[in-house]
Amino acid sequence: MVRVRFAPSPTGFLHLGGLRTALYNFLFAQKHGGRFILRLEDTDQSRVVPGAADGIEDMLEWAGIPPDESPRQGGPVGPYRQSQRLDLYQEATEELLGKGAAYRCFCTPQRLELLKKAALRERQTPRYDNRCRHLSPQQVAEKVAQGADSVVRFRLEDGSEPFCDLVYGWTKHEVASVEGDPVILKSDGFPTYHLANVVDDHHMRISHVLRGWEWLVSTSKHLLLYRAFAWDPPRFAHLPLLLNADGSKLSKRQGHVFVEQFAQDGYLPAALLDAITNCGSGFAENRMGRTLEELVAEFDVGKIEKHSALLDLEQLSEFNRIHLARQIGDERSRPALVAEVQESVERVYGEQLTDRGVLEKAYVEQVLLLRKGHISRLQDLVSPTHAFLWIRPTVPHEELQAISPEADDIGRLVLELLDQSVATLTVEQLNGDLRQLPARVRVTQYSVMMKLLRMALSGLQQGPGVAEMMVSLGRGEAQARIRRALSS
Ligand code: GLU
């Protein structure tokens, strides 16, 4: 059974890189009929931010990739927060101590600091010199009896075995020759990342670990831990970094890395998921507009590239436009969009609404269908460019006169045209009729006429097409606005 996990530390908001790691795990689980688990790695309590854990889970739900097992959902192998699993790490540490694979270290912070300084002076990478490895059981017992503070370190053995990463291929880091023995249990009884991660992946029966590239070098160390426990390790797939289009770190872009921000700014989850997977990884081809179902169907872990993925956030609006058009066109998703627009109109225009008919479902739905493909975010519909859809503009007569001295004549002709046109107005039909009008009566140029009508209907010099405006507003309202503009 495929079981994968996303294991963030709850130290802040979920950022795009984290969302992408979670998404690949979700896709992999879906693809193989497996389970997707959220585990919170909160053993470094000093870095835990209140509310961050809920924020992360909220955002996974918002994105449409909720975990099957999690701190909130629960599940068969919980608890899903490391800070609630301390007994397990304690037990595991005892096991390693019993086997001689780990040992107590009594080195003081001062000694470790001196070691570090000495190494830096010699221009070497600081590493622990493994001194306490050589303490005899009596020495250890004495120090414990004296109440000396200690940590537990894992004895790094030579002979790391190579492993085949599903993305990076055969890999091996001879950790023992470059690192000192790592701390696995701190003096306060909390485990460090390496121990907790391995113990949990084992007890949670994780089959595949899909995580950020930065952990690739730690994997050999983890495999040594698995070997010491005599546990079968999971398979590993390390995911290349997600960077800005110019190769800089995502975190350098303030305010543009947190999923919550994108949600607040009105981006659709589908657009965000599409954008972060569209930059070179995990799919046979890159194309815009993939839905989550399509991402699942087309995902192939073997197609994840080793090079970093470059994300061009400038394109996010375009991704959103495509997904929004798709959701407007889909009868299953449209009602939620209608409701959202109704709420925004009420919120933004509330008091100013003279005709509350604009809040009706049929009206909003028609607006959405007509604007489909033209707007990139739903909230564009309450921007000043679209205000005419909800409230009547005030258009001084002089403005119309300034566009054309024949404003009144044109207005009358268009009123007539609207009277005579078919019962159900369509953009196509109206476009045809309007196009013929100047030629028939030779009043003015077509473009001037359209400018004039746009102004009368919306108070705008630029904006949606005139015929579309007329259809959105409906015959009666369009005529009323033209009449009002002429007589004002
Ligand atoms: N807590 C680690 C992180 O936030 C998890 C790494 C892993 O998935 O093993 O990146």
Side-chain angles (χ1 to χ4, degrees):
M1 164 89 164
V2 163
R3 290 176 58 83
V4 292
R5 87 300 192 275
F6 172 49
S9 298
T11 53
F13 294 115
L14 180 64
H15 57 79
L16 284 184
L19 179 68
R20 180 160 163 275
T21 303
L23 175 61
Y24 279 139
N25 276 283
F26 176 88
L27 296 177
F28 192 78
Q30 292 277 313
K31 186 99 206 174
H32 297 97
R35 308 228 348 135
F36 169 50
I37 292 144
L38 171 66
R39 177 176 78 223
L40 295 174
E41 303 211 325
D42 60 348
T43 55
D44 187 350
Q45 291 281 303
S46 64
R47 293 180 58 225
V48 168
V49 171
D54 271 330
I56 291 171
E57 204 162 345
D58 284 344
M59 285 303 105
L60 294 181
E61 282 169 12
W62 172 82
I65 55 170
D68 300 305
E69 300 169 27
S70 73
R72 286 206 305 233
Q73 298 283 324
V77 294
Y80 292 85
R81 274 174 197 270
Q82 290 188 327
S83 57
Q84 295 170 355
R85 301 169 64 83
L86 299 183
D87 289 352
L88 272 175
Y89 313 127
Q90 195 72 48
E91 239 170 69
T93 306
E94 293 300 332
E95 184 180 335
L96 293 181
L97 284 169
K99 286 178 168 173
Y103 60 90
R104 285 191 199 283
C105 165
F106 299 90
C107 291
T108 59
Q110 291 81 349
R111 172 166 196 272
L112 298 176
E113 192 53 34
L114 283 177
L115 276 181
K116 194 167 158 186
K117 282 199 179 133
L120 291 175
R121 254 199 321 274
E122 308 275 304
R123 293 177 194 279
Q124 283 176 353
T125 318
R127 55 190 273 193
Y128 177 57
D129 60 359
N130 300 349
R131 184 163 85 164
C132 291
R133 255 194 195 198
H134 313 291
L135 294 176
S136 67
Q138 288 85 335
Q139 286 170 308
V140 171
E142 270 168 34
K143 287 186 187 282
V144 171
Q146 286 160 7
D149 260 356
S150 68
V151 298
V152 178
R153 289 184 186 267
F154 176 58
R155 187 186 284 266
L156 288 181
E157 299 291 355
D158 287 325
S160 274
E161 274 164 39
F163 67 98
C164 190
D165 188 85
L166 294 173
V167 175
Y168 287 87
W170 285 99
T171 308
K172 182 173 89 151
H173 291 98
E174 205 46 84
V175 264
S177 60
V178 288
E179 287 184 37
D181 291 338
V183 174
I184 53 173
L185 198 75
K186 295 181 278 184
S187 53
D188 60 4
F190 274 73
T192 58
Y193 159 73
H194 302 293
L195 179 76
N197 193 267
V198 165
V199 168
D200 285 343
D201 284 345
H202 171 71
H203 286 296
M204 293 183 167
R205 302 193 295 277
I206 298 302
S207 63
H208 294 77
V209 169
L210 275 65
R211 64 181 169 198
W213 170 85
E214 65 273 27
W215 301 106
L216 184 64
V217 289
S218 299
T219 305
S220 290
K221 198 184 301 173
H222 296 177
L223 288 169
L224 289 175
L225 276 163
Y226 281 102
R227 196 163 73 188
F229 283 117
W231 291 339
D232 284 336
R235 301 289 314 269
F236 292 92
H238 287 86
L239 308 167
L241 285 178
L242 183 62
L243 301 174
N244 290 317
D246 63 2
S248 61
K249 276 192 172 174
L250 275 188
S251 55
K252 295 264 159 67
R253 244 176 203 269
Q254 285 310 315
H256 267 290
V257 286
F258 298 121
V259 178
E260 231 145 75
Q261 191 63 49
F262 291 104
Q264 263 170 33
D265 289 349
Y267 289 100
L268 296 168
L272 208 52
L273 299 184
D274 191 16
I276 58 175
T277 46
N278 206 293
C279 35
S281 262
F283 301 89
E285 42 137 18
N286 281 336
R287 66 185 163 81
M288 289 170 116
R290 260 188 289 241
T291 61
L292 185 55
E293 292 77 47
E294 289 165 344
L295 288 176
V296 170
E298 294 174 36
F299 177 64
D300 177 356
V301 72
K303 294 233 156 52
I304 296 181
E305 310 266 0
K306 290 194 196 77
H307 59 72
S308 307
L310 302 182
L311 176 65
D312 185 1
L313 277 176
E314 302 289 315
Q315 284 189 17
L316 190 56
S317 290
E318 180 57 8
F319 277 100
N320 214 66
R321 189 186 66 79
I322 295 170
H323 283 275
L324 183 57
R326 188 169 185 150
Q327 294 188 8
I328 292 173
D330 186 337
E331 278 173 22
R332 287 166 305 171
S333 40
R334 201 185 307 137
L337 302 177
V338 169
E340 205 177 319
V341 174
Q342 285 168 323
E343 260 172 48
S344 312
V345 172
E346 181 84 64
R347 194 183 59 243
V348 176
Y349 295 103
E351 305 274 277
Q352 299 175 61
L353 294 178
T354 43
D355 177 4
R356 296 191 61 86
V358 294
L359 291 172
E360 271 167 32
K361 180 171 164 281
Y363 181 80
V364 176
E365 191 159 23
Q366 164 141 286
V367 165
L368 276 174
L369 288 168
L370 287 166
R371 289 278 76 205
K372 179 175 117 185
H374 297 289
I375 49 169
S376 55
R377 284 181 296 170
L378 217 46
Q379 66 210 50
D380 295 348
L381 286 179
V382 289
S383 68
T385 324
H386 291 95
F388 74 93
L389 289 166
W390 321 109
I391 50 176
R392 279 192 178 166
T394 314
V395 186
H397 192 233
E398 308 79 71
E399 286 222 23
L400 297 179
Q401 285 287 317
I403 295 172
S404 165
E406 294 157 324
D408 290 335
D409 293 337
I410 299 169
R412 264 189 296 279
L413 283 169
V414 175
L415 284 175
E416 237 168 69
L417 181 149
L418 283 169
D419 269 338
Q420 289 157 9
S421 53
V422 288
T424 314
L425 297 182
T426 67
V427 174
E428 239 176 23
Q429 171 84 39
L430 275 176
N431 267 334
D433 292 349
L434 286 168
R435 206 160 257 295
Q436 280 168 13
L437 210 58
R440 227 172 60 212
V441 293
R442 302 193 177 283
V443 277
T444 188
Q445 265 181 313
Y446 175 71
S447 61
V448 173
M449 178 182 93
M450 293 309 247
K451 202 168 164 194
L452 185 86
L453 289 173
R454 179 173 292 112
M455 179 58 77
L457 293 167
S458 65
L460 297 172
Q461 296 197 351
Q462 273 159 5
V466 167
E468 188 196 310
M469 283 184 177
M470 289 176 166
V471 176
S472 299
L473 295 170
R475 189 194 324 259
E477 178 63 19
Q479 286 182 320
R481 288 189 186 189
I482 295 170
R483 257 186 232 113
R484 217 167 142 244
L486 295 178
S487 60
S488 59

